[in-house]
Amino acid sequence: MVKVLAVLYKGGKHALEEPRLLGTTENELGLREWLESQGHHYIVIDDKDGSNSVFEKHLVDTEILITTPFHPAYLSKERMAKAKNLKLCVTAGIGSDHINLDAANEYKITVAEVTGSNVVSVAEHVVMTILILIRNFIPAHEQIVAGDWDVAAAARREYDLEGKVVATVGAGRIGTRVLRRLKPFDCKELLYFDYQPMNPEAEKEIGCRRINDLEEMLSLADVVTINCPLHEKTKGLFNKQLISKMKKGAYLVNTARGAICVKEDIAEAMNRGHLSGYGGDVWYPQPAPKDHPWRTMPFNAMTPHVSGTSIDAQKRYAEGTKRIIDRYFKGVEQDDADVIVTGGQYSSAAYGQRSKASVGGTLKM
Ligand code: NAI
């Protein structure tokens, strides 16, 4: 009998009315029957923060932990030290930065995620957010809801995407898909910065260009989109100093992780007009506090963490979570691309440049 603990977000009436909301505490990733029929013990909770949380209580004897980036249960080294039975952490989705990966290596815990499960969902959200910002959609729509009609007020900040330079920080599965989806918009240039080059055929087909210097790329871009994982080299990367290298009036879209940007520095650049718009769906911490400055700064296109949790994506990451756990039960090796850390070392090459990284996470699709 294996104890499996899942920390998911509450779906309330929405989850009861829509059973395909699989990532909720009510619908339990659709795993209960499958796990219990094999005699395993499945606990699903949402209370995750603080030392008196239900999460801390259950963690002590859990063997498999399922978490999700949408409602991250932060697994610190201290918490891991108490989790004596923990062998496998599965991220239902993509992005395992809420787990202290170095500590997972120290405790020889495997961390796996459902690689590729929601990359299309996020890429679509990025393209939508770029368009929403550059076309000044939100203020124009708000006029209509308020009963107003002022074409000039909306149009004075409205531009075409055609002829602009768009750049991505990170050109893995999501970054590549964003660039590919932008190709028909006839942008002036599509640029990327990544220590792993895109495969040459994809680069040629998309017509994008790799730039080796991040600051140089930012100085050229009208729109910047962040599509790299959060790790020690990207935490707080977009701070006052780096934002100052961006073109005045540029737009920044971040669906990667909130902590890649310094929240006060973003708000300051937006209030000053150095940035014309900021959008995305990721925050730190999550849920975002009511007074988080990104909620109220002008010209923001922020949403809760929804881009990777469309109904279609939930089906894929629920199936992927089951696949990973099934392999664990059967003692079958995990798919390389799903494994972030295992056996005390990084397996993915996407979480920063490391000498021991294998090719597991390098696949560019
Ligand atoms: P991926 O592993 O396919 O690609 C990530 C790329 O970022 C890799 O090519 C890697 O070399 C690059 N990278 C890492 N550090 C970098 C740095 N310092 N500068 C430039 N590039 C760097 O991952 P994928 O699937 O494209 O996802 C990327 C991230 O997007 C995830 O780690 C996660 O944080 C976020 N994400 C957000 C979702 C949402 O719902 N908002 C859903 C899925 C992913």
Side-chain angles (χ1 to χ4, degrees), residues 70 93-97 113 115-116 118-119 122 169-175 193-196 227-231 233-234 237 255-257 281-282 305-309 348-352 361 363-364:
F70 310 105
I94 303 172
S96 300
D97 50 273
E113 56 188 44
T115 296
N118 49 18
V119 293
V122 179
V169 181
R173 295 169 181 86
I174 296 173
F193 171 79
D194 195 320
Y195 55 82
Q196 300 190 75
N227 297 295
C228 58
L230 172 64
H231 52 74
K233 289 279 166 44
T234 57
L237 178 67
T255 53
R257 283 297 176 260
D281 68 329
V282 283
H305 194 160
V306 293
S307 73
T309 193
S348 166
Y351 282 75
L363 190 62
K364 305 264 187 178

Coordinates of all heavy atoms in Angstrom, one line a residue, residues 70 93-97 113 115-116 118-119 122 169-175 193-196 227-231 233-234 237 255-257 281-282 305-309 348-352 361 363-364, ligand 1:
F70 N -0.4 25.4 -10.4 CA -1.5 26.4 -10.3 C -1.9 26.7 -8.9 O -2.5 27.8 -8.6 CB -2.8 25.8 -11.1 CG -2.4 25.3 -12.4 CD1 -2.2 24.0 -12.7 CD2 -2.0 26.3 -13.4 CE1 -1.8 23.6 -14.0 CE2 -1.6 25.8 -14.7 CZ -1.5 24.5 -14.9
G93 N 1.4 19.1 -14.5 CA 1.6 20.3 -15.3 C 3.1 20.4 -15.6 O 3.8 19.4 -15.6
I94 N 3.6 21.6 -15.8 CA 5.0 21.8 -16.1 C 5.6 23.0 -15.2 O 4.9 24.0 -15.0 CB 5.2 22.2 -17.6 CG1 4.6 21.2 -18.5 CG2 6.7 22.5 -17.9 CD1 4.6 21.6 -20.0
G95 N 6.8 22.7 -14.7 CA 7.4 23.7 -13.8 C 7.4 23.2 -12.4 O 6.4 23.3 -11.7
S96 N 8.6 22.8 -12.0 CA 8.7 22.1 -10.6 C 9.5 23.0 -9.7 O 10.1 22.5 -8.7 CB 9.3 20.7 -10.8 OG 8.5 19.9 -11.6
D97 N 9.5 24.3 -9.9 CA 10.3 25.2 -9.1 C 9.7 25.4 -7.7 O 10.4 25.9 -6.8 CB 10.4 26.6 -9.8 CG 9.0 27.0 -10.2 OD1 8.5 26.7 -11.3 OD2 8.3 27.7 -9.4
E113 N 7.7 15.8 -14.1 CA 6.6 16.6 -14.5 C 6.0 16.1 -15.8 O 6.7 15.3 -16.5 CB 6.9 18.1 -14.5 CG 8.1 18.5 -15.4 CD 8.5 20.0 -15.3 OE1 8.7 20.5 -14.1 OE2 8.8 20.6 -16.3
T115 N 5.8 16.7 -18.9 CA 6.4 17.5 -20.0 C 5.6 17.6 -21.2 O 5.0 16.6 -21.7 CB 7.8 17.0 -20.3 OG1 8.6 17.1 -19.1 CG2 8.5 17.7 -21.4
G116 N 5.4 18.8 -21.7 CA 4.6 19.0 -23.0 C 3.1 19.1 -22.8 O 2.4 19.4 -23.7
N118 N 1.0 21.1 -21.4 CA 0.2 22.3 -21.6 C 0.9 23.4 -22.4 O 0.6 24.6 -22.3 CB -0.3 22.8 -20.2 CG 0.7 22.9 -19.2 OD1 1.9 22.9 -19.5 ND2 0.4 23.1 -17.9
V119 N 1.9 22.9 -23.2 CA 2.7 23.9 -23.9 C 1.9 24.7 -24.9 O 2.1 25.9 -25.1 CB 4.0 23.3 -24.5 CG1 4.9 22.8 -23.4 CG2 3.7 22.1 -25.4
V122 N -0.3 27.3 -23.1 CA 0.5 28.5 -22.7 C 0.8 29.4 -23.9 O 0.7 30.6 -23.9 CB 1.7 28.1 -21.9 CG1 2.5 29.4 -21.5 CG2 1.3 27.3 -20.7
V169 N 12.7 35.0 -24.1 CA 13.8 34.5 -23.2 C 13.4 33.0 -22.9 O 12.4 32.8 -22.2 CB 13.8 35.3 -21.9 CG1 14.9 34.8 -21.0 CG2 14.0 36.8 -22.2
G170 N 14.1 32.1 -23.5 CA 13.8 30.7 -23.4 C 13.1 30.3 -24.7 O 12.0 30.9 -25.0
A171 N 13.7 29.3 -25.4 CA 13.1 28.9 -26.6 C 13.0 27.4 -26.6 O 13.5 26.7 -27.5 CB 13.9 29.4 -27.8
G172 N 12.3 26.9 -25.5 CA 12.1 25.4 -25.4 C 10.7 25.1 -26.1 O 10.4 25.7 -27.1
R173 N 10.0 24.3 -25.5 CA 8.7 23.8 -26.1 C 7.7 25.0 -26.2 O 7.1 25.2 -27.3 CB 8.1 22.7 -25.2 CG 9.0 21.4 -25.3 CD 8.5 20.4 -24.3 NE 9.4 19.2 -24.3 CZ 10.5 19.1 -23.7 NH1 11.0 20.1 -22.9 NH2 11.2 18.0 -23.8
I174 N 7.6 25.8 -25.1 CA 6.6 26.9 -25.2 C 7.2 28.1 -26.1 O 6.5 28.5 -27.0 CB 6.3 27.4 -23.8 CG1 5.6 26.3 -23.0 CG2 5.4 28.7 -23.9 CD1 5.3 26.6 -21.6
G175 N 8.4 28.5 -25.8 CA 9.0 29.6 -26.5 C 9.0 29.4 -28.1 O 8.6 30.2 -28.8
F193 N 16.7 34.1 -26.9 CA 17.9 34.0 -26.1 C 17.7 32.7 -25.3 O 16.7 32.5 -24.5 CB 18.0 35.2 -25.1 CG 19.1 35.0 -24.1 CD1 20.4 35.3 -24.4 CD2 18.8 34.6 -22.8 CE1 21.4 35.1 -23.5 CE2 19.8 34.5 -21.8 CZ 21.1 34.7 -22.2
D194 N 18.6 31.8 -25.4 CA 18.6 30.5 -24.7 C 20.0 29.9 -24.8 O 20.6 29.9 -25.9 CB 17.5 29.6 -25.4 CG 17.2 28.4 -24.5 OD1 18.0 27.8 -23.9 OD2 16.0 28.0 -24.5
Y195 N 20.5 29.3 -23.7 CA 21.8 28.7 -23.8 C 21.7 27.4 -24.6 O 22.8 26.9 -25.0 CB 22.4 28.5 -22.4 CG 21.6 27.7 -21.5 CD1 21.5 26.3 -21.5 CD2 20.8 28.4 -20.5 CE1 20.7 25.6 -20.6 CE2 20.0 27.7 -19.6 CZ 19.9 26.3 -19.7 OH 19.2 25.6 -18.8
Q196 N 20.5 26.9 -24.8 CA 20.4 25.7 -25.7 C 19.8 26.2 -27.1 O 18.7 26.8 -27.1 CB 19.4 24.7 -25.2 CG 19.8 24.2 -23.8 CD 18.9 23.0 -23.5 OE1 19.0 21.9 -24.0 NE2 18.0 23.2 -22.5
N227 N 9.8 32.6 -21.3 CA 9.4 31.2 -21.4 C 10.5 30.3 -20.9 O 10.7 29.2 -21.5 CB 9.1 30.9 -22.9 CG 7.9 31.8 -23.4 OD1 6.8 31.6 -22.9 ND2 8.1 32.7 -24.3
C228 N 11.2 30.6 -19.8 CA 12.2 29.7 -19.3 C 11.7 29.3 -17.9 O 10.9 30.0 -17.2 CB 13.5 30.4 -19.2 SG 13.5 32.0 -18.3
P229 N 12.3 28.2 -17.3 CA 11.9 27.8 -16.0 C 12.5 28.8 -14.9 O 13.4 29.6 -15.2 CB 12.6 26.5 -15.8 CG 12.9 26.0 -17.2 CD 13.1 27.2 -18.0
L230 N 11.9 28.7 -13.7 CA 12.5 29.5 -12.6 C 13.5 28.6 -12.0 O 13.3 27.5 -11.6 CB 11.3 29.8 -11.6 CG 11.7 30.4 -10.3 CD1 12.4 31.8 -10.5 CD2 10.6 30.5 -9.3
H231 N 14.8 29.1 -11.9 CA 15.8 28.5 -11.2 C 16.7 29.6 -10.6 O 16.4 30.8 -10.8 CB 16.6 27.5 -12.1 CG 17.0 28.0 -13.4 ND1 18.1 28.8 -13.5 CD2 16.6 27.9 -14.7 CE1 18.3 29.1 -14.8 NE2 17.4 28.6 -15.5
K233 N 19.3 31.0 -11.6 CA 19.8 32.1 -12.5 C 18.7 32.9 -13.1 O 19.0 34.0 -13.7 CB 20.6 31.4 -13.7 CG 21.9 30.8 -13.3 CD 22.9 31.9 -13.2 CE 24.2 31.5 -12.5 NZ 24.8 30.2 -12.8
T234 N 17.4 32.5 -12.9 CA 16.4 33.3 -13.5 C 15.5 34.0 -12.4 O 14.7 34.9 -12.7 CB 15.4 32.5 -14.4 OG1 14.9 31.4 -13.6 CG2 16.2 32.0 -15.6
L237 N 15.4 37.8 -12.3 CA 16.2 38.2 -13.5 C 15.7 39.6 -14.0 O 16.5 40.5 -14.3 CB 16.0 37.2 -14.5 CG 16.7 37.4 -15.9 CD1 18.3 37.4 -15.7 CD2 16.3 36.3 -16.9
T255 N 4.5 34.3 -18.7 CA 3.6 33.2 -18.3 C 4.5 32.1 -17.7 O 4.1 31.0 -17.5 CB 2.8 32.6 -19.5 OG1 3.8 32.3 -20.5 CG2 1.7 33.6 -19.9
A256 N 5.8 32.4 -17.5 CA 6.8 31.4 -17.0 C 6.6 31.2 -15.5 O 6.0 30.3 -15.0 CB 8.2 31.7 -17.4
R257 N 7.1 32.2 -14.7 CA 7.0 32.2 -13.3 C 7.0 33.6 -12.7 O 7.9 34.4 -13.2 CB 8.0 31.3 -12.6 CG 7.8 29.8 -12.7 CD 6.5 29.4 -12.0 NE 6.3 28.0 -12.1 CZ 5.4 27.4 -13.0 NH1 4.7 28.2 -13.8 NH2 5.2 26.1 -13.1
D281 N 0.1 35.3 -16.3 CA -0.8 34.6 -15.4 C 0.0 34.1 -14.1 O -0.6 33.3 -13.4 CB -1.5 33.5 -16.1 CG -0.6 32.4 -16.5 OD1 0.6 32.6 -16.8 OD2 -1.1 31.2 -16.5
V282 N 1.3 34.4 -14.0 CA 2.0 33.8 -12.9 C 2.5 34.9 -11.9 O 2.8 36.0 -12.3 CB 3.2 33.0 -13.5 CG1 2.8 31.7 -14.1 CG2 4.0 33.8 -14.5
H305 N -3.5 32.1 -12.4 CA -2.7 31.1 -13.1 C -3.6 30.2 -13.9 O -3.9 29.1 -13.4 CB -1.8 30.4 -12.1 CG -0.7 29.6 -12.7 ND1 0.4 29.2 -12.0 CD2 -0.5 29.2 -13.9 CE1 1.2 28.6 -12.8 NE2 0.7 28.5 -14.0
V306 N -3.9 30.6 -15.1 CA -4.9 29.8 -15.9 C -4.3 29.3 -17.2 O -4.9 28.4 -17.8 CB -6.2 30.5 -16.2 CG1 -7.0 30.8 -14.9 CG2 -5.9 31.9 -16.9
S307 N -3.2 29.9 -17.7 CA -2.9 29.6 -19.1 C -2.7 28.1 -19.4 O -3.1 27.6 -20.4 CB -1.7 30.4 -19.5 OG -0.5 29.9 -19.0
G308 N -2.1 27.4 -18.4 CA -1.8 26.0 -18.7 C -2.8 25.0 -18.1 O -2.6 23.8 -18.0
T309 N -4.0 25.6 -17.7 CA -4.9 24.7 -17.1 C -6.3 24.7 -17.8 O -7.4 24.7 -17.2 CB -5.0 24.9 -15.6 OG1 -5.7 23.9 -15.0 CG2 -5.6 26.2 -15.2
S348 N 17.1 17.0 -16.2 CA 16.7 18.0 -17.2 C 17.8 19.0 -17.4 O 18.4 19.5 -16.5 CB 15.4 18.7 -16.8 OG 15.2 19.9 -17.6
A349 N 18.0 19.4 -18.7 CA 19.0 20.5 -19.0 C 18.3 21.9 -19.0 O 19.0 22.8 -19.3 CB 19.6 20.2 -20.4
A350 N 17.0 21.9 -18.7 CA 16.3 23.2 -18.8 C 16.4 24.1 -17.5 O 16.1 25.2 -17.6 CB 14.9 23.0 -19.1
Y351 N 16.8 23.4 -16.4 CA 16.8 24.2 -15.1 C 18.2 24.8 -14.8 O 18.8 24.5 -13.8 CB 16.3 23.3 -14.0 CG 14.8 23.1 -14.0 CD1 14.2 22.3 -14.9 CD2 14.0 23.8 -13.0 CE1 12.8 22.2 -14.9 CE2 12.6 23.7 -13.0 CZ 12.0 22.9 -14.0 OH 10.6 22.8 -14.0
G352 N 18.7 25.5 -15.8 CA 20.0 26.1 -15.7 C 21.1 25.2 -16.2 O 21.0 24.0 -16.4
G361 N 16.2 16.7 -20.9 CA 15.2 17.8 -21.1 C 15.5 18.7 -22.3 O 15.0 19.8 -22.4
L363 N 15.1 18.1 -25.5 CA 14.3 18.0 -26.7 C 13.5 19.2 -27.1 O 12.7 19.7 -26.3 CB 13.3 16.8 -26.5 CG 12.5 16.3 -27.7 CD1 13.5 15.7 -28.7 CD2 11.6 15.2 -27.2
K364 N 13.8 19.7 -28.2 CA 13.1 21.0 -28.7 C 12.0 20.6 -29.7 O 12.3 20.0 -30.7 CB 14.1 21.9 -29.3 CG 15.2 22.2 -28.4 CD 15.0 23.5 -27.7 CE 16.2 24.0 -27.0 NZ 16.1 25.2 -26.3
Ligands
NAI1 P1 11.3 23.6 -21.8 O1 12.1 22.8 -20.9 O2 10.8 22.9 -23.0 O3 12.0 24.9 -22.2 C1 12.6 25.8 -21.3 C2 13.8 26.5 -22.1 O4 14.3 27.6 -21.2 C3 15.0 25.6 -22.3 O5 15.3 25.6 -23.7 C4 16.1 26.1 -21.5 O6 17.4 26.0 -22.0 C5 15.7 27.6 -21.4 N1 16.3 28.3 -20.3 C6 16.6 27.9 -19.0 N2 17.2 28.9 -18.4 C7 17.3 30.0 -19.2 C8 17.9 31.2 -19.1 N3 18.5 31.6 -17.9 N4 17.8 32.1 -20.1 C9 17.3 31.6 -21.3 N5 16.7 30.4 -21.5 C10 16.8 29.6 -20.4 O7 10.1 24.1 -20.9 P2 8.6 24.6 -21.5 O8 7.7 23.5 -21.6 O9 8.9 25.5 -22.6 O10 8.2 25.5 -20.2 C11 8.9 26.6 -19.8 C12 8.4 27.2 -18.4 O11 7.1 27.7 -18.6 C13 8.2 26.1 -17.4 O12 9.4 25.8 -16.7 C14 7.2 26.8 -16.5 O13 7.9 27.6 -15.5 C15 6.4 27.7 -17.4 N6 5.0 27.1 -17.6 C16 4.0 27.9 -17.3 C17 2.7 27.4 -17.4 C18 1.5 28.3 -17.0 O14 0.4 27.7 -16.9 N7 1.6 29.6 -16.9 C19 2.4 26.1 -17.9 C20 3.6 25.4 -18.4 C21 4.9 25.9 -18.2

